[in-house]
Structure formats: C-alpha cells, structure tokens
Amino acid sequence: KKQQHDENSIMPTRRQSFREPSLFGATQLSTRRIRSNSGIDMPQDLSELSEAEMNSVAPPAPVYKIVLTGGPCGGKTTALARLSPYLRERGFEVIACPEAFSLLVSNGMSFDYLGAVEGMDVVVQDTVMDMQIGLEDGFERVLRARGKPAVLLCDRGLMDGSAYMAQEGWDKLLAKRDVQSVSELREGRYNAVFHLVTAAEGAEPFYTLENNAVRTETPELARELDGMTRNAWVGHPNLKIFDNSTDFEKKMQRVVEETARLVGLPTQMQRVTTKFLLRNKPALDKFPEDVRVRVFDVEKVYLNQDEIIADNIIDEYAFIRMRSTVNEDGEASGTVYGWTGVQKTDDGQTIEKKRIITKREYNSLFNNRDKSRHIVRQKRISFLWNIQSFTIHEYQEPVSDICILHAQVQSTPGSEGVHDVDVSIPPFLEVDKLLGGSEEDKKHYGAYHISLRD
C-alpha cells in the first residue's frame, strides 16, 4: 500500500532551505539487478573517502539524465551532437552514453541471432539491459565524482527494449530481473525522455537508411516502431515528443530549448503545457483499446520559502512530489520522488529545476512543508493521442471537482479558444474550455493557488 502523509503528523525539527535537496543523484533503485555496482558503499569513517568518492556518494551539483529515443531517422544523432557543445559552453560537464544494442550489432551480432534459438530475444534484451545499466551508471558515477553540474545524454533508455519484444517476453524479463514496477526503469531513473519522431512520419521525403549502417527498416516499419517506442515511455512525467510539424532545423532548436528548460537555463521559447478544463472525470472504459494508459497517484507538497536574494527574481517556490504507479488491480506498484524549484524573473521568464530524489530526502524535506498550504493529491492519467502526449490531473484533495487535461504541445500566442490551439483533442474526452495564463484561471485551476488554506 502506498505511502501517504498526514498534514499534521510530522513536526519540523529545523528550518531547511527549500531550494535544493542535499543529494542530486537519481534515486537508488530498489533491486541489485536493475542497478550495476558502479556506486560505492558509505563507510563508517568518511575520512576514508577521497574528494571524488565523496562527490560520488553525495554529489555537490546536479547530474541530469536525459534519454533521446524515437523511431529510425528521427534526428537522435544530430540532437546528441547539437546538445553536447551547447551545454558545455554553458558550464555543464557532458557525457553521451551509446546505445547498447547498436554496440552489439556493430561488433558482430547479426539480427539473425534474435530468432535463431527459442527464447533468444529475452537473452539478447537481458544482455542489452545489463550493458545499458553498466554504461549509464558508470558514466553517471564519473560525472558525480567530478562535482560540477552535468548532463548524461543517453542514446535510448531501458524502456526501449519493451518496444522490440512481445509483452510475454518483456514480462518474463522483468520477473527475471526482479523488477517490481516499470517506474523503476522509467521516471525512477531518468529526468526526461525526448522522443524524436521518425522522418517516415510527416517528413517522408527525408527518410533515409544511408546515415546508419545498423538501420534496415522500411518507412512502414519505421512508423510502426516509432509508435511502439512512444508507447514504451507513456507515464514518464517529462516525456516530450518532437514531431515533424516544423523543418528539421527548428525541430533541433525545440530539442535544445527543452533541454535548457530542464536544466534551468534561460530560454527564448515560451513553450508551455496547454491546459483544458474537462467537463467531467474521464471514464477509462471509454478510451480506445489501442490507447495505452498509465495511472498514478500523486502527492504534492509545497515547501517553506527562503528569502529571495537574487535581484532579477520576483518570485520563487518549490515543492516535492510522490508519484505512485497504480496497477490494473488499483494497487500501488512502484513509487518515485521528485523535487521542483520554480523561479520567476523580472523579464517574464519562468525557470524550473527538477531533481529525482530518494524517499529519505522526501521525508526530510516534508518536515519543512509550508503549513499555510494543503497537501495536494491527484489522480493522474497519462496517454498518447495522434503523436501528442497528454496527462489528466484529477484533483482529489483539497478539492475534488476539478479535472484538467494537460497537453505537451505549444499553443498559438494569443489563442482564446480550443480551436485556436494546435492540439488534437481526444474525441473521448469532453472539453469545457481552454485555460489561459490569466490570474483568474491560475486562481481557480492552478495547484499553487488551490493549495492555499482559507
């Protein structure tokens, strides 16, 4: 049964800074077979550790892990090449983690292996997962030890393997590895997932096999694989889909801008989540059978604020979030924890910083919650529709009559109605109205204002 806090059950022992958790690494995953042995144990005597080892255990700066995935010929290679110098020029250490499956193929494993022996697909994907975990954890350890702000750019992630296996084989693999919930492989491991849609979907004249020796897919197969890969990551709160609605250069600019937003750099792109008020709560049995749905219970806790010290910051706040995956039986099957800091600048920018934190950090920061606010609890429903990512926020506490559809697409500036926004509204949902950025909408429908006690 999932953890749930009582708003008055824990008394703060001392005032803590709301800005940053004490540790910046991704949460330690629950099973040895998920995570490699790249970490080091904390000794009783900390004087035994070198500076680099201490940084590995308790990094003094954030390390962001971003997955770049998508169908064939979507632009992953170009995006990796574009992001590395962009981030380094702005003070970040950057390492790119290669795709494990491509390493196998480029070093002699043929595709014939997958069907050569019964059960070979599970063995290959198990090996790919071992390699991917080892590479990612090793690179992350090096970046943590460096002690500077860093970004690990992952060419695909652990959930991508599910797109290339039957459900039965994937379930067998997870059971073999003692994975309790896919959240451990998804939001519990990566800060964000960037899906670059294949050129075979919306930019067909530019689809080519010439720039990747491993690629053999026809355009039809490329579109099918792209869809399966998108579905593999449904449920990650920072799943961003980059389609081919613009030319390729603007597609790459959108990837750079989203990365800047994630790591807290100023950005010129005013790309925000477009929100719609729903007329009623969604009925999951009304969703089409081919729409993959993920359901979560969320607890959102706002923290006490320190005094603003930066001249250009006019407002800032932070909150922690506990997010539990709900399985088909309605039970929690995995929980991850996060910290978010928000700063509003005098030039109109909103800068967000996000961290994956541990359960221990969550409980510690919970002691510093802002008691002038309610704990906000929601049921969240994530799904894809027409190559767009949606999440429904169904409020449960302190209100229970608000249901909001969040669409991860950019709205047209100055749009006033639903039809002026480039969003493919799912026909199985009833939209009341588009929610804009007005103070009135924020007051009635924004979690920050809803959390305020009377």
Side-chain angles (χ1 to χ4, degrees):
K1 196 173 179 68
K2 76 179 181 67
Q3 173 186 359
Q4 181 166 299
H5 285 104
D6 185 328
E7 297 187 40
N8 300 308
S9 62
I10 303 176
M11 296 298 292
T13 56
R14 64 182 177 88
R15 183 171 178 81
Q16 298 167 293
S17 170
F18 85 99
R19 286 194 179 87
E20 305 280 349
S22 58
L23 300 180
F24 292 100
T27 181
Q28 294 291 324
L29 301 182
S30 59
T31 68
R32 179 175 53 83
R33 293 229 58 204
I34 301 273
R35 196 171 182 86
S36 74
N37 295 324
S38 62
I40 60 177
D41 295 327
M42 177 74 79
Q44 293 295 324
D45 184 1
L46 297 183
S47 64
E48 298 176 8
L49 297 182
S50 67
E51 182 180 356
E53 288 173 327
M54 179 59 79
N55 288 344
S56 295
V57 173
V63 177
Y64 300 92
K65 294 175 70 175
I66 303 174
V67 173
L68 278 82
T69 186
C73 196
K76 286 194 297 99
T77 302
T78 303
L80 285 166
R82 189 76 61 89
L83 288 173
S84 294
Y86 172 83
L87 291 165
R88 289 192 182 104
E89 289 168 3
R90 287 154 180 82
F92 287 85
E93 298 292 331
V94 182
I95 293 181
C97 183
E99 180 187 1
F101 184 80
S102 291
L103 288 177
L104 284 174
V105 174
S106 62
N107 284 280
M109 188 192 80
S110 70
F111 286 95
D112 295 339
Y113 280 39
L114 293 172
V117 180
E118 181 186 358
M120 193 67 180
D121 58 338
V122 175
V123 173
V124 170
Q125 289 297 341
D126 193 25
T127 302
V128 168
M129 194 172 286
D130 274 337
M131 293 173 62
Q132 197 76 37
I133 289 171
L135 288 167
E136 290 178 8
D137 287 357
F139 289 156
E140 182 185 358
R141 183 186 179 192
V142 169
L143 290 172
R144 287 158 66 103
R146 182 70 177 87
K148 295 178 62 178
V151 178
L152 179 60
L153 299 172
C154 302
D155 188 346
R156 298 198 182 278
L158 297 185
M159 287 300 297
D160 278 288
S162 65
Y164 297 86
M165 299 180 69
Q167 187 64 46
E168 181 181 358
W170 177 248
D171 291 342
K172 182 177 180 180
L173 175 60
L174 296 188
K176 177 182 178 182
R177 303 185 71 92
D178 194 26
V179 177
Q180 302 300 314
S181 171
V182 292
S183 62
E184 300 170 8
L185 309 180
R186 197 176 54 207
E187 61 267 33
R189 189 172 180 88
Y190 305 103
N191 297 92
V193 178
F194 293 171
H195 180 101
L196 282 71
V197 176
T198 175
E201 185 78 62
E204 290 82 353
F206 300 97
Y207 182 75
T208 177
L209 305 178
E210 296 178 358
N211 58 348
N212 190 328
V214 178
R215 186 178 299 141
T216 60
E217 300 87 353
T218 63
E220 293 76 18
L221 180 56
R223 288 190 286 270
E224 181 181 352
L225 291 174
D226 193 275
M228 290 191 295
T229 305
R230 287 196 303 272
N231 279 328
W233 291 99
V234 170
H236 195 293
N238 270 331
L239 170 61
K240 309 293 184 182
I241 298 177
F242 301 90
D243 60 17
N244 298 302
S245 57
T246 62
D247 61 33
F248 186 74
E249 178 58 30
K250 289 182 180 178
K251 183 179 183 180
M252 292 299 102
Q253 289 176 8
R254 287 152 55 201
V255 173
V256 171
E257 292 287 347
E258 285 292 356
T259 304
R261 188 183 301 278
L262 176 72
V263 302
L265 292 172
T267 171
Q268 298 302 313
M269 177 185 286
Q270 296 301 312
R271 187 178 189 272
V272 296
T273 302
T274 305
K275 304 175 184 179
F276 302 88
L277 181 66
L278 297 181
R279 287 181 183 154
N280 43 50
K281 295 180 180 180
L284 294 182
D285 59 359
K286 301 297 184 183
F287 282 49
E289 292 185 1
D290 60 345
V291 174
R292 180 172 294 186
V293 175
R294 294 288 182 264
V295 181
F296 307 90
D297 285 334
V298 172
E299 176 182 276
K300 193 173 187 179
V301 182
Y302 288 91
L303 304 177
N304 282 317
Q305 299 185 26
D306 289 341
E307 184 177 339
I308 299 174
I309 55 176
D311 292 338
N312 67 324
I313 303 298
I314 60 174
D315 190 22
E316 62 180 341
Y317 60 90
F319 59 86
I320 51 176
R321 183 180 64 187
M322 179 171 65
R323 189 172 186 262
S324 301
T325 301
V326 179
N327 62 24
E328 293 179 355
D329 297 324
E331 299 176 346
S333 61
T335 300
V336 296
Y337 305 87
W339 171 95
T340 299
V342 180
Q343 294 180 324
K344 297 183 182 295
T345 65
D346 54 12
D347 61 355
Q349 291 258 5
T350 298
I351 300 173
E352 286 192 0
K353 295 181 180 180
K354 295 178 179 288
R355 308 277 187 267
I356 300 171
I357 60 176
T358 64
K359 180 179 179 180
R360 178 181 295 180
E361 290 174 289
Y362 185 90
N363 289 333
S364 176
L365 288 167
F366 186 88
N367 289 343
N368 191 43
R369 69 190 181 279
D370 182 353
K371 290 193 172 183
S372 69
R373 295 179 179 275
H374 293 282
I375 294 174
V376 177
R377 293 191 174 95
Q378 301 169 332
K379 175 182 177 181
R380 294 191 182 179
I381 303 168
S382 296
F383 62 97
L384 300 177
W385 180 257
N386 284 353
I387 320 182
Q388 293 179 355
S389 178
F390 295 91
T391 301
I392 298 171
H393 292 203
E394 184 181 311
Y395 281 83
Q396 297 177 327
E397 295 180 22
V399 297
S400 59
D401 58 348
I402 294 177
C403 201
I404 298 174
L405 175 68
H406 291 231
Q408 296 287 353
V409 293
Q410 185 176 10
S411 61
T412 305
S415 56
E416 296 293 339
V418 171
H419 300 292
D420 295 324
V421 182
D422 187 20
V423 177
S424 178
I425 300 294
F428 45 88
L429 298 176
E430 293 187 50
V431 169
D432 187 354
K433 65 176 181 177
L434 172 70
L435 299 178
S438 69
E439 291 302 317
E440 191 69 15
D441 280 347
K442 291 178 182 178
K443 178 180 178 181
H444 291 291
Y445 306 112
Y448 185 67
H449 292 273
I450 288 175
S451 68
L452 283 171
R453 294 180 183 272
D454 295 334

